[in-house]
Amino acid sequence: MTHADTRTINVNGRSYRWPDRPLVVVCVDGCEPDYINQAIEAGCAPFLASLAQRGTCLTADSVVPSFTNPNNLSIVTGAPPAVHGICGNFFWDPDARAEVMMNDAKYLRAGTILAALADAGAKVAVVTAKDKLRSLLGHRMKGICFSSEKSDQVTLAGNGIADALGLTGMPVPSVYSAALSEFVFAAGLALLKRERPDVMYLSTTDYVQHKAAPGTAAANEFTAMLDRYLGQMDALGATIVLTADHGMNAKTDALGRPNIVFLQERLDQWFGAGTTRVILPITDPYVVHHGALGSYATVYCNDPMQRDDAAQRIAALPGIEGVYSREQACATFELPPDRVGDLVVVSERLTVIGTSRDRHDLSGLDVPLRSHGGTSEQRVPLIANRPAADLPQRRWRNFDAFDLALNHLQ
Ligand SMILES: [Zn+2]
């Protein structure tokens, strides 16, 4: 194997070789491995199917909480949340005594591989579906960075591109649509042709995955769409690595009704209202398709003496998979201790955690609830369009995507 450029960059304690051809890293939001498997079985994904012969296919573990922002930031920093600091959409700020949104770049504690490559002279482009990720992914990065959601509001100064809508000819998609993700791929393909960036990061939204199970018509249509775009990028000579921020599971009983543990209600019954605070870090401004219900919660106890009692009682609730102290959770899931509560609670595959009944609006759910957040949504694909030589035997993570691409592919 020859690698023409001997430059390397170091980011967060890891070393990466310089890309020797355009690299496209794709994070398909909510892409349980079975979405791809079922689409291949149905004959909808010929490009992905072809990778069995000529590519690399690993199954990797995402970060827990298996939510969008912690995992996207892990992928672009090559590091877990203990390093980059982003462990959810929300956290409880004890100083401000408020639930604070964590999608501001001021909460980011590590530089990204994208910014480091750009600083070293690489041409870098980032396209995300939802705008909530854009400022985090593009933090201190020279290059192109915009979202489908606000593709009509880009500026050369702010986004590195003067006209994003003109790239695709597509209208600005609705934030609740499959088109929001298609726009990401269409813009990425156009950028690859026009700008030929050294590195591109494309991140979609899980609108389809929240509604449609693997193998269903809507899911296969989505995978067929991304297969067409990736096939064209492959034909243009790009290295492609596809991974996901998390998987996705039905969170319902046999009749399609959601299995919900209303954790704040239970804690209030046991210890009295106002003595504990349940934070659901899945909560974000776009809750229509999951009602802010996921399989991960963190709990703050006013009285530290209550912690062990609370942990035992929560662990005994049906549907709960694990209860961790802050120290255990941070050690197990590599989380930043100052942004995690006294307890971390993870529910089982078919169950989600809520606060109290009156704080979840499920009226927007037009299909049985599908969601994520727990260890049951941790397995994700890590797939490349080139073979790898002598892959190390290790626990592959989705945040090894750039390591696989730049250090291991032939
Ligand atoms: Zn996601």
Side-chain angles (χ1 to χ4, degrees), residues 27-31 66-69 71-72 130 132-133 203-206 210 244-248 372:
C27 177
V28 182
D29 199 322
C31 189
S66 47
F67 293 141
T68 301
N69 289 14
N71 277 284
N72 269 274
K130 291 179 185 173
K132 70 173 180 180
L133 260 174
S203 183
T204 68
T205 173
D206 53 10
H210 270 289
D245 53 349
H246 52 79
M248 187 72 73
H372 52 94

Coordinates of all heavy atoms in Angstrom, one line a residue, residues 27-31 66-69 71-72 130 132-133 203-206 210 244-248 372, ligand 1:
C27 N -22.9 10.1 8.8 CA -23.6 9.7 10.0 C -25.1 9.6 9.6 O -25.7 10.6 9.5 CB -23.3 10.6 11.1 SG -24.2 10.1 12.6
V28 N -25.6 8.4 9.5 CA -27.0 8.2 9.2 C -27.7 8.1 10.5 O -27.6 7.1 11.2 CB -27.2 7.0 8.3 CG1 -28.7 6.8 8.0 CG2 -26.4 7.0 7.0
D29 N -28.5 9.1 10.8 CA -29.2 9.2 12.1 C -30.1 8.1 12.4 O -31.0 7.8 11.6 CB -29.9 10.6 12.2 CG -30.2 11.0 13.6 OD1 -30.5 10.1 14.4 OD2 -30.2 12.2 13.9
G30 N -29.9 7.4 13.5 CA -30.8 6.3 13.9 C -30.7 5.0 13.0 O -31.7 4.2 13.0
C31 N -29.6 4.8 12.4 CA -29.4 3.7 11.4 C -29.1 2.4 12.1 O -27.9 2.0 12.2 CB -28.4 4.0 10.3 SG -28.4 2.8 9.0
S66 N -27.3 7.0 23.9 CA -27.3 6.9 22.4 C -28.3 7.9 21.8 O -29.3 7.6 21.3 CB -27.7 5.4 22.0 OG -28.9 5.0 22.8
F67 N -27.8 9.1 21.9 CA -28.5 10.3 21.4 C -27.7 10.9 20.2 O -26.5 10.6 20.1 CB -28.8 11.3 22.4 CG -29.7 10.9 23.5 CD1 -29.5 11.3 24.8 CD2 -30.9 10.2 23.2 CE1 -30.4 10.9 25.8 CE2 -31.7 9.8 24.2 CZ -31.5 10.1 25.5
T68 N -28.3 11.9 19.5 CA -27.7 12.4 18.3 C -26.5 13.3 18.6 O -25.4 13.0 18.0 CB -28.8 13.3 17.6 OG1 -29.9 12.4 17.3 CG2 -28.3 13.9 16.3
N69 N -26.6 14.3 19.4 CA -25.5 15.2 19.6 C -24.3 14.6 20.2 O -23.2 14.8 19.7 CB -25.9 16.5 20.4 CG -26.9 17.4 19.6 OD1 -27.4 17.0 18.6 ND2 -27.1 18.6 20.1
N71 N -23.2 11.7 20.0 CA -22.5 10.8 19.1 C -21.9 11.5 17.9 O -20.8 11.2 17.4 CB -23.5 9.7 18.7 CG -23.5 8.5 19.7 OD1 -22.5 7.8 19.7 ND2 -24.5 8.5 20.5
N72 N -22.7 12.5 17.4 CA -22.1 13.3 16.3 C -20.8 14.0 16.7 O -19.8 14.0 16.0 CB -23.1 14.3 15.8 CG -23.9 13.8 14.6 OD1 -23.5 13.9 13.5 ND2 -25.1 13.3 15.0
K130 N -30.5 19.0 10.6 CA -31.0 20.0 11.5 C -30.0 21.0 11.9 O -28.8 20.7 12.1 CB -31.5 19.3 12.8 CG -32.7 18.4 12.6 CD -33.1 17.8 13.9 CE -34.3 16.8 13.7 NZ -34.5 16.1 15.0
K132 N -29.5 22.4 14.6 CA -29.0 22.4 16.0 C -27.6 21.8 16.1 O -26.9 22.1 17.0 CB -30.0 21.5 16.9 CG -29.9 20.0 16.6 CD -30.7 19.2 17.5 CE -30.7 17.7 17.2 NZ -31.4 16.8 18.1
L133 N -27.2 21.1 15.1 CA -25.9 20.5 15.1 C -24.8 21.3 14.5 O -23.6 21.2 14.7 CB -25.9 19.1 14.4 CG -26.0 17.9 15.3 CD1 -26.2 16.7 14.3 CD2 -24.8 17.7 16.1
S203 N -24.4 14.6 7.9 CA -25.2 14.0 9.0 C -26.7 14.2 8.8 O -27.1 15.4 8.6 CB -24.7 14.8 10.3 OG -25.4 14.3 11.4
T204 N -27.4 13.2 8.8 CA -28.9 13.2 8.5 C -29.7 13.4 9.7 O -29.2 13.6 10.8 CB -29.3 12.0 7.7 OG1 -29.2 10.8 8.5 CG2 -28.3 11.7 6.5
T205 N -31.0 13.2 9.6 CA -31.9 13.2 10.7 C -32.8 11.9 10.7 O -32.9 11.3 9.7 CB -32.9 14.4 10.7 OG1 -33.9 14.3 11.7 CG2 -33.6 14.5 9.4
D206 N -33.2 11.5 11.9 CA -33.9 10.2 12.1 C -35.4 10.3 12.0 O -36.1 9.4 12.5 CB -33.4 9.6 13.4 CG -33.7 10.5 14.6 OD1 -34.3 11.5 14.5 OD2 -33.2 10.1 15.7
H210 N -37.6 7.1 13.2 CA -38.5 7.1 14.3 C -39.9 6.6 14.0 O -40.7 6.2 14.8 CB -38.7 8.6 14.8 CG -37.7 8.9 15.9 ND1 -37.8 8.4 17.2 CD2 -36.6 9.7 15.9 CE1 -36.8 8.9 17.9 NE2 -36.0 9.7 17.2
A244 N -23.5 5.5 12.2 CA -24.7 6.0 12.8 C -24.4 6.6 14.2 O -23.5 6.2 14.8 CB -25.8 5.0 12.8
D245 N -25.3 7.5 14.6 CA -25.2 8.1 15.9 C -25.8 7.1 16.9 O -25.4 7.1 18.1 CB -25.8 9.5 16.0 CG -27.2 9.5 15.5 OD1 -27.7 8.5 14.9 OD2 -27.9 10.5 15.7
H246 N -26.8 6.3 16.5 CA -27.4 5.4 17.4 C -28.3 4.5 16.6 O -28.6 4.8 15.5 CB -28.2 6.1 18.5 CG -29.2 7.1 18.0 ND1 -30.4 6.8 17.4 CD2 -29.1 8.5 17.8 CE1 -31.0 7.9 17.0 NE2 -30.2 8.9 17.2
G247 N -28.8 3.4 17.2 CA -29.8 2.6 16.6 C -31.2 3.1 16.9 O -31.4 4.3 17.2
M248 N -32.2 2.2 16.8 CA -33.6 2.7 17.0 C -34.4 1.4 17.3 O -34.2 0.4 16.6 CB -34.1 3.3 15.7 CG -35.5 4.0 15.8 SD -35.5 5.5 16.8 CE -34.7 6.6 15.7
H372 N -34.8 5.8 21.2 CA -33.4 5.4 21.4 C -32.9 6.0 22.7 O -33.6 6.6 23.4 CB -32.5 5.8 20.2 CG -32.7 7.2 19.8 ND1 -31.8 8.2 20.3 CD2 -33.6 7.8 19.1 CE1 -32.2 9.3 19.8 NE2 -33.3 9.2 19.1
Ligands
ZN1 ZN -30.0 10.7 16.2

